[in-house]
mmCIF file of all heavy atoms in Angstrom:
data_model
loop_
_atom_site.group_PDB
_atom_site.id
_atom_site.type_symbol
_atom_site.label_atom_id
_atom_site.label_comp_id
_atom_site.label_asym_id
_atom_site.label_seq_id
_atom_site.Cartn_x
_atom_site.Cartn_y
_atom_site.Cartn_z
ATOM 1 N N PHE B 178 -39.996 49.233 -22.717
ATOM 2 C CA PHE B 178 -40.306 50.248 -21.715
ATOM 3 C C PHE B 178 -40.465 51.602 -22.399
ATOM 4 O O PHE B 178 -40.121 51.771 -23.568
ATOM 5 C CB PHE B 178 -39.221 50.286 -20.633
ATOM 6 C CG PHE B 178 -37.822 50.485 -21.151
ATOM 7 C CD1 PHE B 178 -37.349 51.757 -21.476
ATOM 8 C CD2 PHE B 178 -36.954 49.402 -21.306
ATOM 9 C CE1 PHE B 178 -36.067 51.949 -21.953
ATOM 10 C CE2 PHE B 178 -35.663 49.592 -21.782
ATOM 11 C CZ PHE B 178 -35.217 50.867 -22.109
ATOM 12 N N GLU B 179 -40.993 52.570 -21.652
ATOM 13 C CA GLU B 179 -41.144 53.922 -22.174
ATOM 14 C C GLU B 179 -39.788 54.591 -22.319
ATOM 15 O O GLU B 179 -38.906 54.352 -21.488
ATOM 16 C CB GLU B 179 -42.019 54.754 -21.226
ATOM 17 C CG GLU B 179 -43.467 54.330 -21.219
ATOM 18 C CD GLU B 179 -44.243 54.828 -22.452
ATOM 19 O OE1 GLU B 179 -43.596 55.310 -23.416
ATOM 20 O OE2 GLU B 179 -45.459 54.725 -22.429
ATOM 21 N N SER B 180 -39.486 55.410 -23.286
ATOM 22 C CA SER B 180 -40.402 55.933 -24.285
ATOM 23 C C SER B 180 -40.522 55.070 -25.539
ATOM 24 O O SER B 180 -41.248 55.446 -26.461
ATOM 25 C CB SER B 180 -39.900 57.305 -24.714
ATOM 26 O OG SER B 180 -38.604 57.162 -25.291
ATOM 27 N N PHE B 181 -39.842 53.916 -25.556
ATOM 28 C CA PHE B 181 -39.944 53.082 -26.749
ATOM 29 C C PHE B 181 -41.361 52.542 -26.934
ATOM 30 O O PHE B 181 -41.803 52.296 -28.043
ATOM 31 C CB PHE B 181 -38.923 51.943 -26.688
ATOM 32 C CG PHE B 181 -37.513 52.450 -26.635
ATOM 33 C CD1 PHE B 181 -36.680 52.175 -25.555
ATOM 34 C CD2 PHE B 181 -37.019 53.250 -27.655
ATOM 35 C CE1 PHE B 181 -35.391 52.667 -25.504
ATOM 36 C CE2 PHE B 181 -35.716 53.749 -27.610
ATOM 37 C CZ PHE B 181 -34.906 53.457 -26.530
ATOM 38 N N VAL B 182 -42.062 52.382 -25.791
ATOM 39 C CA VAL B 182 -43.449 51.933 -25.901
ATOM 40 C C VAL B 182 -44.245 52.938 -26.724
ATOM 41 O O VAL B 182 -44.955 52.579 -27.667
ATOM 42 C CB VAL B 182 -44.061 51.736 -24.497
ATOM 43 C CG1 VAL B 182 -45.569 51.593 -24.589
ATOM 44 C CG2 VAL B 182 -43.437 50.522 -23.810
ATOM 45 N N SER B 183 -44.086 54.214 -26.375
ATOM 46 C CA SER B 183 -44.831 55.235 -27.109
ATOM 47 C C SER B 183 -44.412 55.284 -28.572
ATOM 48 O O SER B 183 -45.236 55.437 -29.471
ATOM 49 C CB SER B 183 -44.617 56.608 -26.467
ATOM 50 O OG SER B 183 -45.131 56.596 -25.151
ATOM 51 N N GLU B 184 -43.097 55.150 -28.776
ATOM 52 C CA GLU B 184 -42.609 55.117 -30.156
ATOM 53 C C GLU B 184 -43.279 53.983 -30.917
ATOM 54 O O GLU B 184 -43.731 54.139 -32.056
ATOM 55 C CB GLU B 184 -41.087 54.903 -30.183
ATOM 56 C CG GLU B 184 -40.262 56.044 -29.639
ATOM 57 C CD GLU B 184 -40.022 57.146 -30.669
ATOM 58 O OE1 GLU B 184 -40.411 56.974 -31.843
ATOM 59 O OE2 GLU B 184 -39.465 58.195 -30.272
ATOM 60 N N ALA B 185 -43.346 52.830 -30.276
ATOM 61 C CA ALA B 185 -43.916 51.656 -30.944
ATOM 62 C C ALA B 185 -45.400 51.858 -31.194
ATOM 63 O O ALA B 185 -45.931 51.495 -32.253
ATOM 64 C CB ALA B 185 -43.685 50.417 -30.093
ATOM 65 N N ILE B 186 -46.074 52.456 -30.229
ATOM 66 C CA ILE B 186 -47.518 52.666 -30.382
ATOM 67 C C ILE B 186 -47.779 53.596 -31.569
ATOM 68 O O ILE B 186 -48.645 53.334 -32.410
ATOM 69 C CB ILE B 186 -48.110 53.236 -29.071
ATOM 70 C CG1 ILE B 186 -48.137 52.122 -28.014
ATOM 71 C CG2 ILE B 186 -49.499 53.807 -29.310
ATOM 72 C CD1 ILE B 186 -48.573 52.571 -26.642
ATOM 73 N N VAL B 187 -46.962 54.638 -31.666
ATOM 74 C CA VAL B 187 -47.143 55.561 -32.784
ATOM 75 C C VAL B 187 -46.768 54.896 -34.103
ATOM 76 O O VAL B 187 -47.471 55.000 -35.101
ATOM 77 C CB VAL B 187 -46.322 56.846 -32.557
ATOM 78 C CG1 VAL B 187 -46.323 57.703 -33.821
ATOM 79 C CG2 VAL B 187 -46.902 57.622 -31.385
ATOM 80 N N ALA B 188 -45.653 54.194 -34.069
ATOM 81 C CA ALA B 188 -45.155 53.625 -35.321
ATOM 82 C C ALA B 188 -46.100 52.571 -35.882
ATOM 83 O O ALA B 188 -46.189 52.379 -37.098
ATOM 84 C CB ALA B 188 -43.772 53.021 -35.105
ATOM 85 N N THR B 189 -46.809 51.859 -35.015
ATOM 86 C CA THR B 189 -47.630 50.743 -35.504
ATOM 87 C C THR B 189 -49.105 50.959 -35.223
ATOM 88 O O THR B 189 -49.911 50.039 -35.365
ATOM 89 C CB THR B 189 -47.206 49.418 -34.827
ATOM 90 O OG1 THR B 189 -47.496 49.532 -33.420
ATOM 91 C CG2 THR B 189 -45.732 49.145 -35.016
ATOM 92 N N ASP B 190 -49.428 52.188 -34.763
ATOM 93 C CA ASP B 190 -50.808 52.464 -34.371
ATOM 94 C C ASP B 190 -51.241 51.442 -33.325
ATOM 95 O O ASP B 190 -52.374 50.964 -33.316
ATOM 96 C CB ASP B 190 -51.707 52.390 -35.626
ATOM 97 C CG ASP B 190 -53.085 52.981 -35.314
ATOM 98 O OD1 ASP B 190 -53.172 53.767 -34.345
ATOM 99 O OD2 ASP B 190 -54.037 52.622 -36.033
ATOM 100 N N GLY B 191 -50.324 51.099 -32.458
ATOM 101 C CA GLY B 191 -50.566 49.971 -31.550
ATOM 102 C C GLY B 191 -51.080 50.377 -30.183
ATOM 103 O O GLY B 191 -51.462 51.525 -29.945
ATOM 104 N N HIS B 192 -51.070 49.406 -29.304
ATOM 105 C CA HIS B 192 -51.528 49.662 -27.937
ATOM 106 C C HIS B 192 -50.901 48.647 -26.985
ATOM 107 O O HIS B 192 -50.316 47.655 -27.408
ATOM 108 C CB HIS B 192 -53.045 49.555 -27.861
ATOM 109 C CG HIS B 192 -53.553 48.222 -28.339
ATOM 110 N ND1 HIS B 192 -53.878 47.982 -29.657
ATOM 111 C CD2 HIS B 192 -53.752 47.053 -27.689
ATOM 112 C CE1 HIS B 192 -54.273 46.725 -29.793
ATOM 113 N NE2 HIS B 192 -54.199 46.135 -28.613
ATOM 114 N N TYR B 193 -51.017 48.943 -25.694
ATOM 115 C CA TYR B 193 -50.555 48.010 -24.673
ATOM 116 C C TYR B 193 -51.442 46.779 -24.666
ATOM 117 O O TYR B 193 -52.664 46.873 -24.588
ATOM 118 C CB TYR B 193 -50.683 48.665 -23.285
ATOM 119 C CG TYR B 193 -49.431 49.353 -22.781
ATOM 120 C CD1 TYR B 193 -49.467 50.690 -22.385
ATOM 121 C CD2 TYR B 193 -48.253 48.635 -22.618
ATOM 122 C CE1 TYR B 193 -48.342 51.313 -21.858
ATOM 123 C CE2 TYR B 193 -47.118 49.255 -22.095
ATOM 124 C CZ TYR B 193 -47.155 50.586 -21.722
ATOM 125 O OH TYR B 193 -46.060 51.191 -21.209
#
Side-chain angles (χ1 to χ4, degrees):
Chain B
F178 55 81
E179 290 283 12
S180 61
F181 299 119
V182 167
S183 297
E184 293 277 354
I186 288 175
V187 171
T189 65
D190 193 21
H192 56 270
Y193 266 125

